Amino acid sequence: MPKSIWQAAAQPVSFDALERSIKADVAIVGAGITGVLCAHALVDRGLRVAVLEAGRVGESSTGNSTGNLYALVGERHGALDRKAAAQLCAARGQAVDLIENLVEGHEIDCGFVRCPWVMHASQAGHPALADARELAAAAGLPTRRATDLLPFPVADSVVVDGQAQFDPLRFTKGLAARLASDECRIYEATRVTDIDVEDRRLTTRLGDVHAEWIILATHTPKGRLLLHAELTPNREYGVAGQVKSGVLRPGIFWSADAPFHSVRLYEWQQRSYLVVVGAEHRTGAEDDTDRCYAELAQFARERFGVTPIEYRWSAQNYRSADGLPFIGRSAQSDHVLVATGFAADGLTYAGVAAPLLADVITRRDNALADRLDPQRRPALAAAKTIGAEAAHMIAGLAHDLPGLDRGDMPSLARGEGRILDRGTQKLAVHRDDAGSLHVVSAVCTHMQCIVHWNTAERTWDCPCHGSRFTPDGKVLEGPALADLAQRDLD
């Protein structure tokens, strides 16, 4: 699997797997930045917490993110009225402050630094810049213009000072290490295989967790929920390579021009690295994902002189129909809470979700609770998006998505994957680098859509709700709880 620069720079932190049944006040599924920040907020209020992570702390979405923190909402500016914009941006600004205070209070070495957020365009009058200025004005955030911040021509820009950057994985691992205690038990390599909302029980391989409250901090909620129809899964790619000192100042640089790129510096081991993120597409909809990395590498080389690319990675995000996240009680149960729909703003929204969910559990008022309620009624514009998602899922259920191959396997090269139609069965077949074939069901265990092969990541990706699996069918991420079923070619 490709490795992010954050994973390369991470300090070793490990936690044991759960090996017996336990009880807690709150069980948190997922130990990314959202789950760990939630754990901190709840322990701070005197509650006993158990955090269950299928892999390693922070190494899924958090460890494949941008490391950028900012108050402005990243997209859908026009969907927010002035009051909503002010509320949301204020909460996001407080989230950045929260992370900074935790970095300082716990002395976490993660390169946290305040810096400007910059959206730039090659021509004046770009509508995205106008949207950003309007949103910033509604939120009371001063803006300025600057055209000399990048090593290529910029006609106009919006600059918001006082935003921040850090190493998200070092932060999350560092905070988890400091939280671990009898009040906050953290378990790695502990995948949840069943969620009983009535009994408030989480099932894992070697033990169950009983808790008064359950938080699904898994980027998208596990299990089958109506909420998934309101979320669009997308993948975005990142590359990093060394750059000459002085080529770029510290900052969060977004292009308003297409194709979109997010650019930043990262200082590590006394070297400067350029991080470029972009090439987004709907999960499972891109046949040649290597092309996404190539496009970013070309941009980094032509604009910043970066060569070679030393790290590359991708991450998933989930966009809600109305552009706002879902944070609060799920429709499953008043005692099952979710935090999802963060789009590409997940690191900052994690700092919004933690105090909000802690307020729900401790029965305190929160000004954003109604606006971000997962059970809120969508506006008409959002309802159209939901309808499109439903149609996309129906196509997936019909098993007629692109990529079905009725041929045989001899032509399958090493490292490739293919969907094979065997009448009543759809098989996902991968030939590994040693030449061995791995055959699993191509039917996603979440909602029975057909998975697609991701060439760059070497994963099976579901285009309906974003579940992803290893070449031999094990769950990597998404709402699926069960692995793809093992199959034979005969």
Side-chain angles (χ1 to χ4, degrees), residues 321 379-389:
L380 178 60
K384 294 179 180 178
T385 302
I386 295 170
E389 283 302 299

Side-chain angles (χ1 to χ4, degrees), residues 16-279:
D16 293 337
L18 179 67
E19 296 182 343
R20 60 185 178 84
S21 294
I22 62 171
K23 293 182 179 180
D25 295 322
V26 185
I28 300 173
V29 185
I33 189 172
T34 301
V36 173
L37 284 176
C38 284
H40 174 270
L42 293 165
V43 170
D44 200 44
R45 300 190 189 190
L47 296 173
R48 295 177 302 111
V49 177
V51 184
L52 310 180
E53 168 58 44
R56 302 290 300 276
V57 166
E59 293 197 6
S60 184
S61 297
T62 300
N64 289 293
S65 59
T66 61
N68 294 327
L69 301 165
Y70 41 89
L72 282 185
V73 180
E75 58 183 42
R76 300 291 295 274
H77 305 146
L80 298 173
D81 58 46
R82 293 181 70 88
K83 183 178 179 181
Q87 273 189 323
L88 201 58
C89 291
R92 287 173 57 82
Q94 291 166 6
V96 180
D97 294 341
L98 167 66
I99 291 172
E100 182 177 32
N101 291 335
L102 290 172
V103 169
E104 294 176 352
H106 291 285
E107 299 182 340
I108 301 173
D109 178 15
C110 62
F112 184 97
V113 62
R114 289 286 181 170
C115 65
W117 174 92
V118 181
M119 179 179 282
H120 57 89
S122 59
Q123 294 182 342
H126 196 290
L129 300 187
D131 284 347
R133 288 191 181 99
E134 183 178 350
L135 179 64
L141 294 171
T143 64
R144 60 184 174 91
R145 285 180 169 88
T147 57
D148 60 348
L149 300 178
L150 290 156
F152 51 83
V154 170
D156 196 6
S157 71
V158 178
V159 182
V160 180
D161 291 311
Q163 307 312 294
Q165 293 175 327
F166 70 148
D167 181 324
L169 188 53
R170 288 171 75 102
F171 169 78
T172 302
K173 286 182 177 291
L175 183 58
R178 287 156 177 78
L179 281 175
S181 63
D182 290 341
E183 289 72 37
C184 182
R185 290 166 287 176
I186 300 174
Y187 300 97
E188 293 183 324
T190 302
R191 177 179 296 159
V192 172
T193 58
D194 186 61
I195 302 170
D196 187 332
V197 297
E198 297 296 327
D199 198 30
R200 299 174 195 170
R201 182 182 73 249
L202 302 174
T203 300
T204 74
R205 185 171 64 90
L206 296 178
D208 295 345
V209 180
H210 290 264
E212 183 70 14
W213 297 87
I214 296 171
I215 295 178
L216 301 180
T218 50
H219 210 40
T220 187
K222 293 289 186 181
R224 299 182 181 181
L225 303 175
L226 292 175
L227 191 63
H228 292 128
E230 301 184 48
L231 295 168
T232 302
N234 301 281
R235 291 205 73 73
E236 196 169 33
Y237 298 79
V239 298
Q242 290 185 52
V243 68
K244 291 181 180 178
S245 178
V247 168
L248 186 67
R249 305 176 193 177
I252 304 163
F253 297 93
W254 286 12
S255 60
D257 303 314
F260 170 81
H261 296 105
S262 172
V263 176
R264 64 160 292 185
L265 279 180
Y266 178 58
E267 302 292 339
W268 176 44
Q269 293 182 332
Q270 299 181 327
R271 298 185 180 94
S272 296
Y273 289 85
L274 186 81
V275 176
V276 182
V277 174

